[in-house]
Amino acid sequence: MEVSIDAIGNVVGLWCGGKTDRSLPPVMTGSHIDTVKSGGRFDGNLGVLAGLEVIKVIKEQNISTKHPIAVSFFTGEEGSRFAPDMLGSLVYVGGLDLETALSTISVDGKRLGSELEAIGYNGTAPCPGTTPKIFLELHIEQGPILESEGIDIGAVENVQGISWTELTIKGQSNHAGTTPMRMRRDAGYVAAKISTFVRDLSNEMGGTQAGTVGKIDLVPNLVNVVSSKATMTVDLRNTSELMLQEAENRLAIFCEGIASQEDVEITRKSLARFEPVEFNHQLVDQVFVTAQNLGYSTKRMTSGAGHDAQMLSRVCPAAMIFVPSKDGLSHNPAEFTSIEEVAAGANVLLHLIVDAAEEYR
Ligand code: HGY
Ligand code: MN
Ligand code: MN
């Protein structure tokens, strides 16, 4: 394939058969190859490897298509090192300017542009990138639905909204033994209260509301010192933009209240904020029908996780194919999908791509 690397490290492999018209927009598939630190082998990688397998089968079968076919992987989809998530695909579609992205500082204090240079992925291909004809992403569900209902393929209709906030809580370090409880300005205690509030709020709101505190760093983080500082993250999700705003507002009100009650200062920084995304209905229908025609049980569903496809949907029709996750597990080394389930997803992807790329019969 003709491989290009763009200025934010996105990689696009382009395949053109003998009679392909290079002036036509490519049918694109792909995903990401970064994982969270404690991640599994399927999240992201499946979509990229399946895309390469599709090209291999097309070449073996001497299939020739009018449109070029592209297989891509986007930089920093996870966002847990360099926020926001889907950073590379957001730059690819022009949703985040390149300089801002390159100057992003990671949780470990590194500048994204320098890190790309260090690994040789500060490429020369321009950002934003070529607009595809369509974008299809094969991905594991990362949840329990397909497995629990015994369904082979998910035709993903939409992605829920995402709100990531970093809260910095400043109190006062003090002696754990001598400081009367009424005199404490305990950042660690406030972080814990916010953490339980996020859980209680999500349970109370119900529906698709999700709330996660995945990261809390305490200073000085010592057994006999009242914490002077806590830095924490809050991940809120909802399929409804209004409900997501409601959750954000209630979190802000809770923080104001606990800050004055505990005499601490709380500052907030948004790390990521994406509204819910609806995929192209016609393309979702094609995913659904193609899977059914191939004899797979199929279900229309929502994605709880964010994906590169939601960014590509800003510039072209996009949709996703889900395959089951064992025990609904993901962002965990035990993440697993069987080879039969993988093959089913890759087959649906193959047929959709060949159809969209307009095979010469
Ligand atoms: O956070 C997410 O939904 C994705 O894994 N980046
Ligand atoms: Mn993913
Ligand atoms: Mn992920």
Side-chain angles (χ1 to χ4, degrees):
M1 299 174 82
E2 298 154 34
V3 179
S4 63
I5 302 172
D6 73 14
I8 199 73
N10 295 318
V11 177
V12 179
L14 193 70
W15 179 78
C16 297
K19 294 190 290 182
T20 298
D21 177 350
R22 287 171 171 272
S23 68
L24 294 175
V27 168
M28 185 181 277
T29 186
S31 190
H32 60 97
I33 62 171
D34 64 304
T35 75
V36 293
K37 199 156 58 172
S38 57
R41 295 168 293 157
F42 295 84
D43 177 2
N45 287 309
L46 169 64
V48 180
L49 292 173
L52 294 176
E53 180 65 19
V54 164
I55 299 295
K56 190 160 155 273
V57 167
I58 284 176
K59 291 171 82 169
E60 281 166 359
Q61 308 277 329
N62 292 315
I63 293 170
S64 174
T65 61
K66 256 193 217 146
H67 288 258
I69 298 170
V71 181
S72 48
F73 53 90
F74 299 100
T75 299
E77 187 277 346
E78 292 296 350
S80 48
R81 185 180 180 211
F82 292 98
D85 51 348
M86 288 76 73
L87 186 151
S89 48
L90 187 59
V91 173
Y92 186 87
V93 300
L96 178 64
D97 79 273
L98 180 60
E99 284 319 309
T100 306
L102 290 171
S103 47
T104 304
I105 304 299
S106 64
V107 291
D108 50 321
K110 298 281 195 320
R111 181 180 168 278
L112 178 53
S114 319
E115 292 295 273
L116 286 170
E117 273 166 47
I119 62 170
Y121 275 77
N122 53 325
T124 51
C127 295
T130 306
T131 300
K133 176 185 176 190
I134 63 160
F135 182 81
L136 282 163
E137 182 170 2
L138 171 61
H139 204 286
I140 51 172
E141 176 203 336
Q142 301 180 285
I145 297 168
L146 290 175
E147 182 185 58
S148 62
E149 297 183 16
I151 306 268
D152 302 319
I153 297 289
V156 184
E157 296 185 301
N158 57 325
V159 179
Q160 62 181 350
I162 300 177
S163 163
W164 286 359
T165 305
E166 180 184 75
L167 298 174
T168 304
I169 303 157
K170 288 202 178 119
Q172 183 184 53
S173 61
N174 218 327
H175 194 294
T178 58
T179 312
M181 296 312 286
R182 59 182 165 71
M183 285 177 61
R184 294 181 181 215
R185 299 174 54 213
D186 185 342
Y189 168 73
V190 172
K193 289 291 279 184
I194 292 172
S195 184
T196 54
F197 170 79
V198 167
R199 162 63 72 92
D200 297 343
L201 174 69
S202 303
N203 287 341
E204 186 209 312
M205 287 180 70
T208 58
Q209 182 58 45
T212 312
V213 170
K215 187 170 184 285
I216 298 181
D217 297 312
L218 297 182
V219 174
N221 209 27
L222 298 171
V223 62
N224 57 354
V225 182
V226 174
S227 302
S228 57
K229 183 178 168 190
T231 307
M232 65 189 287
T233 58
V234 179
D235 176 324
L236 298 172
R237 315 250 181 148
N238 201 302
T239 50
S240 148
E241 173 59 17
L242 284 182
M243 297 302 280
L244 188 53
Q245 288 176 19
E246 155 91 10
E248 288 174 318
N249 294 337
R250 290 180 61 177
L251 172 65
I253 293 165
F254 182 82
C255 288
E256 258 168 57
I258 191 96
S260 68
Q261 175 192 312
E262 296 298 323
D263 190 16
V264 298
E265 180 203 326
I266 301 180
T267 52
R268 1 159 17 90
K269 180 183 163 199
S270 174
L271 298 179
R273 182 60 167 91
F274 299 120
E275 295 195 3
V277 167
E278 290 271 321
F279 286 132
N280 177 281
H281 294 172
Q282 203 186 341
L283 196 50
V284 174
D285 289 347
Q286 280 172 8
V287 171
F288 189 86
V289 169
T290 303
Q292 290 222 313
N293 291 345
L294 289 168
Y296 300 122
S297 52
T298 311
K299 174 189 179 73
R300 293 167 187 271
M301 60 196 296
T302 294
S303 173
H307 297 287
D308 293 311
Q310 75 187 80
M311 299 309 171
L312 273 291
S313 74
R314 296 186 183 197
V315 296
C316 70
M320 294 186 74
I321 306 157
F322 270 179
V323 289
S325 291
K326 187 167 176 346
D327 304 329
L329 210 53
S330 184
H331 284 188
N332 181 312
E335 188 177 270
F336 182 76
T337 299
S338 74
I339 191 63
E340 294 75 20
E341 291 164 331
V342 163
N347 275 331
V348 174
L349 183 68
L350 170 69
H351 286 261
L352 284 163
I353 285 178
V354 169
D355 289 351
E358 297 173 52
E359 180 187 4
Y360 284 109
R361 306 267 180 204

